[in-house]
Amino acid sequence: MNRGWFWYAPFIIFSIICFSCSMVSDGVAFTVNDEPISLAQYEQQLEKEKLMVIRDFEVKYKTRFGPGFWTMNFGGDLPANVLKKRAKDAIIVSTIKKMMARELGLIEKIGYEDFLKELDSVNNVRIKAVKDGKVIYGPVTYTPEMYSGYYMSVLENAILDKIGTSELTADQIRAKYEGMIRERIKKAKIDIDEHEDPVVL
């Protein structure tokens, strides 16, 4: 294992934990089909992608994470640019899926602030359950990163149930769903406000 990864992983993990506890940033980073994506959501996704981007650059370019890493040029690749693209692409995909769920009547609100409110509500229920001596599975509270994966998994299963028919197998329903998402992503209108793009350090 690359030693740089070993020494700097705790630092990056710590930064992710700190970000999860920080205040929500104001402003809009970009829009997806006129749906505003808040800076808070964009920053959270940037933090979520950091470890993998660092790891990929260490493997591909035999480098080590350190000061100035994000703005270094590796064969034309800047880690900061790769990180921002991955974060934006991930948000675009999840937003398109939420929009589809909204169209199907499965959810009403898809904003990040609404997601955080739901997360807060879920965590309060879990904290109370522990205080009351009840058994819960998993951590007492979820971070945004942890809960977003669970939330999207549940939402996707609901969409699959909605678009499925008795004539289709589970694999065919999944293929239909993925094809619908791909088409929606191709046609998506993305407007990015470069002035609101966070600086990656």
Side-chain angles (χ1 to χ4, degrees), residues 126 128-138:
R126 294 177 70 81
K128 186 178 185 304
V130 171
K131 288 182 178 179
D132 293 342
K134 297 179 181 178
V135 176
I136 64 170
Y137 297 95

Side-chain angles (χ1 to χ4, degrees), residues 83-137:
L83 174 63
K84 290 176 181 181
K85 184 179 186 306
R86 287 193 187 183
K88 288 170 183 172
D89 287 348
I91 291 174
I92 290 169
V93 172
S94 65
T95 301
I96 292 297
K97 291 178 179 179
K98 290 176 186 177
M99 287 179 170
M100 184 176 178
R102 183 172 60 185
E103 291 172 15
L104 293 172
L106 297 172
I107 54 176
E108 293 183 3
K109 299 179 180 179
I110 65 173
Y112 187 64
E113 290 73 16
D114 300 302
F115 165 78
L116 291 179
K117 289 178 182 178
E118 179 176 332
L119 171 60
D120 187 55
S121 177
V122 168
N123 281 339
N124 286 336
V125 170
R126 294 177 70 81
I127 290 171
K128 186 178 185 304
V130 171
K131 288 182 178 179
D132 293 342
K134 297 179 181 178
V135 176
I136 64 170
Y137 297 95

Side-chain angles (χ1 to χ4, degrees), residues 1-9 50-75 77-80 82:
M1 179 182 289
N2 188 303
R3 291 181 178 229
W5 176 255
F6 176 81
W7 288 110
Y8 286 101
K50 277 185 177 180
L51 281 173
M52 189 56 68
V53 171
I54 292 170
R55 180 58 178 161
D56 287 350
F57 270 81
E58 285 190 339
V59 171
K60 184 176 181 179
Y61 294 105
K62 311 301 179 185
T63 186
R64 294 179 61 181
F65 177 79
F69 168 80
W70 295 108
T71 55
M72 289 182 184
N73 191 320
F74 297 93
D77 285 341
L78 268 66
V82 173

Side-chain angles (χ1 to χ4, degrees), residues 10-199:
F11 168 76
I12 299 302
I13 293 171
F14 177 75
S15 70
I16 292 174
I17 294 173
C18 288
F19 178 83
S20 300
C21 302
S22 64
M23 296 179 63
V24 175
S25 297
D26 294 327
V28 173
F30 58 99
T31 61
V32 179
N33 292 337
D34 297 323
E35 186 74 31
I37 304 301
S38 69
L39 273 172
Q41 180 177 4
Y42 183 30
E43 289 170 351
Q44 184 260 330
Q45 193 66 42
L46 285 170
E47 294 295 332
K48 187 176 181 179
E49 302 287 341
K50 277 185 177 180
L51 281 173
M52 189 56 68
V53 171
I54 292 170
R55 180 58 178 161
D56 287 350
F57 270 81
E58 285 190 339
V59 171
K60 184 176 181 179
Y61 294 105
K62 311 301 179 185
T63 186
R64 294 179 61 181
F65 177 79
F69 168 80
W70 295 108
T71 55
M72 289 182 184
N73 191 320
F74 297 93
D77 285 341
L78 268 66
N81 291 344
V82 173
L83 174 63
K84 290 176 181 181
K85 184 179 186 306
R86 287 193 187 183
K88 288 170 183 172
D89 287 348
I91 291 174
I92 290 169
V93 172
S94 65
T95 301
I96 292 297
K97 291 178 179 179
K98 290 176 186 177
M99 287 179 170
M100 184 176 178
R102 183 172 60 185
E103 291 172 15
L104 293 172
L106 297 172
I107 54 176
E108 293 183 3
K109 299 179 180 179
I110 65 173
Y112 187 64
E113 290 73 16
D114 300 302
F115 165 78
L116 291 179
K117 289 178 182 178
E118 179 176 332
L119 171 60
D120 187 55
S121 177
V122 168
N123 281 339
N124 286 336
V125 170
R126 294 177 70 81
I127 290 171
K128 186 178 185 304
V130 171
K131 288 182 178 179
D132 293 342
K134 297 179 181 178
V135 176
I136 64 170
Y137 297 95
V140 177
T141 59
Y142 293 110
T143 64
E145 292 81 9
M146 294 166 60
Y147 191 66
S148 63
Y150 168 78
Y151 177 87
M152 290 306 301
S153 176
V154 171
L155 195 64
E156 285 192 335
N157 287 334
I159 294 174
L160 292 172
D161 288 340
K162 195 78 170 180
I163 67 174
T165 63
S166 58
E167 292 80 18
L168 298 176
T169 66
D171 288 342
Q172 288 172 328
I173 295 171
R174 168 64 68 174
K176 175 183 176 181
Y177 164 69
E178 292 177 351
M180 294 170 72
I181 295 299
R182 283 195 299 270
E183 284 302 310
R184 287 167 179 251
I185 292 173
K186 287 180 183 178
K187 297 177 181 178
K189 174 188 174 186
I190 313 298
D191 289 323
I192 298 175
D193 187 348
E194 297 298 340
H195 297 292
E196 294 285 5
D197 212 350
V199 175

